Amino acid sequence: MTSLATSIGGRTFDNCMMNAAGIRCQNKKDLDALVASRAGAYVTKSATPQKRAGNPSPRMHTLPNKGSINSMGLPNNGLDYYLDYVVDDQHKRPDATNFLSVAGTSLEDNLAMLHQIQESEYHGFVELNLSCPNVPGKPQVGYDFDRVNEVLDEVFKFYTKPLGVKLPPYFDLVHFDQIAAILNQYPLTFVNSINSIGNALVVDPQTERVVIRPKGGFGGIGGASVKPTALANVRGLALRLKPEIAIVGTGGITTGVDVFEHILCGASMVQIGTQFGYEGTAIFDRLAEELKAIMNQKGYTNITEFRGKLKTFDD
Ligand code: SIN
């Protein structure tokens, strides 16, 4: 039997694929559909302390065969909404672990939300989003290494439940070294790499205009175009992080081969964003069958047999 199961921080998941925060996970209906699907877990839309409308439309634009550009600006129903959902789900399915994403626009907001979660009965994973590129006037924390250190220092003074961070893509090996040296100091359960490639610009030559309204057209790129950057970040972190920190690989997954490549680079779990937006929950059936077919062809029966085993020309 070919198994797609995985484990992170001592929790097991029967499928190593799930949605990425922001995509079809903003309300109860979306989350119920994920629960009913073949995804191994779900992550909720990144929450702020209060409900947020996000940026003005148009704020997302499809790039055929390439992915998408978005500047959503964290539209969400507020932490209470998602915390209620995950706690309720925990009562219904006590053996399932899921991910609650939080993305405060200040350190104070993040600490307040994590205090609330710490004091709640929720015992699943929290994904602290340090990488949203789309809130005007709020730079991505993940690019300010001192600030990342300060945030994690403050968080781990009181937070004792399983926590991971969602990172932006890095583009220089010295930055992989620097961020890994910081992350390795903390009892993180996982890191999720990558968020969208932030502050890109797509131009419509017909109208001679940008394609999204917020931030003068600047937005994050997701989907097929970002796969090489995502794989580099998963691999770069896998080579540097201590083994207790699992890697969730996100970026550019449209096929089972893409999932296979993320796992080869070191991912224990993968998240699908843009393409899940296009296909809906049926994507988890398709990708599961495609990944199983590759594993069968290669004689692998479970993902640990090839996870992190990418070869280079020096091997
Ligand atoms: C958004 O809501 O702008 C996207 C969230 C993110 O990129 O973290």
Side-chain angles (χ1 to χ4, degrees):
M1 268 295 276
T2 310
S3 167
L4 302 183
T6 191
S7 71
I8 294 179
R11 314 283 182 100
T12 54
F13 303 84
D14 61 9
N15 185 353
C16 59
M17 304 168 203
M18 59 183 288
N19 69 303
I23 314 301
R24 294 177 182 262
C25 60
Q26 198 170 329
N27 57 44
K28 186 173 179 318
K29 190 165 162 253
D30 292 334
L31 294 165
D32 286 347
L34 279 159
V35 169
S37 80
R38 202 160 161 191
Y42 61 78
V43 57
T44 56
K45 171 68 185 168
S46 297
T48 49
Q50 268 75 49
K51 186 177 166 90
R52 242 179 99 88
N55 292 337
S57 294
R59 57 191 185 179
M60 202 285 224
H61 183 88
T62 299
L63 309 170
N65 303 317
K66 294 186 195 147
S68 63
I69 181 168
N70 88 84
S71 181
M72 303 300 288
L74 295 174
N76 76 93
N77 289 309
L79 178 64
D80 288 350
Y81 182 94
Y82 300 106
L83 190 52
D84 284 351
Y85 185 90
V86 292
V87 168
D88 187 45
D89 188 26
Q90 204 173 256
H91 288 148
K92 292 184 198 144
R93 303 185 304 143
D95 294 335
T97 296
N98 289 289
F99 296 58
L100 173 65
S101 172
V102 295
T105 57
S106 66
L107 174 58
E108 293 68 31
D109 279 0
N110 278 327
L111 295 178
M113 288 192 286
L114 289 170
H115 269 293
Q116 187 178 338
I117 298 166
Q118 175 71 32
E119 283 150 26
S120 75
E121 42 177 318
Y122 180 62
H123 52 67
F125 289 0
V126 165
E127 182 173 289
L128 176 61
N129 182 350
L130 299 179
S131 49
C132 177
N134 305 327
V135 180
K138 302 281 182 185
Q140 288 158 273
V141 172
Y143 286 134
D144 180 341
F145 297 119
D146 291 341
R147 188 69 166 165
V148 172
N149 213 353
E150 190 186 350
V151 169
L152 294 178
D153 239 11
E154 291 300 321
V155 167
F156 284 112
K157 280 182 184 159
F158 66 92
Y159 198 78
T160 57
K161 297 178 180 182
L163 183 97
V165 286
K166 183 149 182 193
L167 299 172
Y170 298 104
F171 301 97
D172 196 293
L173 298 188
V174 80
H175 293 154
F176 293 150
D177 292 340
Q178 289 170 346
I179 191 71
I182 293 166
L183 300 173
N184 279 335
Q185 295 171 42
Y186 297 97
L188 286 161
T189 301
F190 66 92
V191 303
N192 183 345
S193 177
I194 59 172
N195 206 322
S196 58
I197 300 182
N199 297 304
L201 198 65
V202 172
V203 171
D204 179 346
Q206 291 292 331
T207 58
E208 304 178 12
R209 197 175 61 190
V210 296
V211 297
I212 55 173
R213 185 184 300 274
K215 293 179 65 177
F218 285 76
I221 301 289
S225 305
V226 311
K227 189 177 80 167
T229 302
L231 293 177
N233 277 261
V234 169
R235 171 79 168 165
L237 291 170
L239 292 174
R240 292 166 175 81
L241 290 177
K242 58 187 180 184
E244 303 91 286
I245 305 180
I247 298 180
V248 177
T250 305
I253 294 175
T254 64
T255 67
V257 176
D258 300 327
V259 177
F260 183 74
E261 292 175 4
H262 266 266
I263 297 170
L264 262 185
C265 288
S268 292
M269 174 75 104
V270 299
Q271 293 186 348
I272 299 115
T274 300
Q275 194 65 25
F276 168 51
Y278 298 153
E279 290 183 44
T281 53
I283 195 171
F284 298 110
D285 296 307
R286 177 173 71 77
L287 296 183
E289 292 316 311
E290 290 176 5
L291 178 59
K292 272 188 181 173
I294 297 159
M295 289 170 64
N296 288 339
Q297 195 189 327
K298 290 173 174 280
Y300 293 128
T301 57
N302 65 70
I303 71 166
T304 56
E305 290 168 356
F306 59 96
R307 192 184 65 229
K309 303 216 170 124
L310 182 71
K311 294 179 219 137
T312 68
F313 284 95
D314 299 324
D315 294 321

